[in-house]
Amino acid sequence: MNSEFKREVMECMETFAHTVRMTRLFEDAELERLKRLLSELADMLRHETVIDKDLAAYLYDLPQIVRNMSLSYDGPPTERPEQFDRLEDAWLELDALVSECLNTPAA
């Protein structure tokens, strides 16, 4: 795998996760870029027999971070801010893309 592309994906995941952790918000453009990179990564990994351990760790952590932030609202359900629904939607999308990336590599 191209090390420059791997670095770009990891930096994008790290930036997105950091933003979500610190603000519980994200820009639509950030999410779209991340989804595009993860889709490209999934295509690349279909032809690989090994996944880099650091990359795998980032992939495992990302959906969990977004999920935890979506569950962090502890007020009344009727007053739940829309940002938490957005986080939940992002979590589901990212989890599906990460699952594609982590499918059994080609033998």
Side-chain angles (χ1 to χ4, degrees):
M1 172 184 302
N2 179 324
S3 63
E4 187 175 315
F5 178 72
K6 180 184 112 179
R7 184 176 42 77
E8 180 181 4
V9 172
M10 289 174 65
E11 286 176 2
C12 187
M13 285 191 287
E14 183 177 6
T15 300
F16 188 84
H18 179 75
T19 300
V20 167
R21 271 190 191 128
M22 294 296 122
T23 65
R24 296 183 185 153
L25 298 170
F26 59 86
E27 297 293 324
D28 289 336
E30 286 179 294
L31 179 60
E32 291 306 315
R33 178 173 180 250
L34 180 55
K35 288 174 13 182
R36 179 184 51 80
L37 288 171
L38 290 173
S39 290
E40 289 178 38
L41 180 63
D43 288 338
M44 292 176 115
L45 290 175
R46 281 190 187 101
H47 306 291
E48 298 286 328
T49 56
V50 176
I51 298 175
D52 176 85
K53 68 178 180 175
D54 293 328
L55 179 59
Y58 273 74
L59 289 168
Y60 277 113
D61 288 344
L62 179 65
Q64 192 66 38
I65 290 166
V66 178
R67 178 183 181 270
N68 288 345
M69 291 296 96
S70 77
L71 296 174
S72 67
Y73 176 71
D74 61 356
T78 56
E79 296 177 22
R80 181 178 160 153
E82 185 256 337
Q83 76 190 62
F84 292 94
D85 293 332
R86 289 186 69 224
L87 284 167
E88 186 174 5
D89 292 342
W91 160 53
L92 294 171
E93 290 180 90
L94 293 172
D95 190 56
L97 286 166
V98 165
S99 292
E100 285 183 43
C101 291
L102 295 174
N103 274 338
T104 307

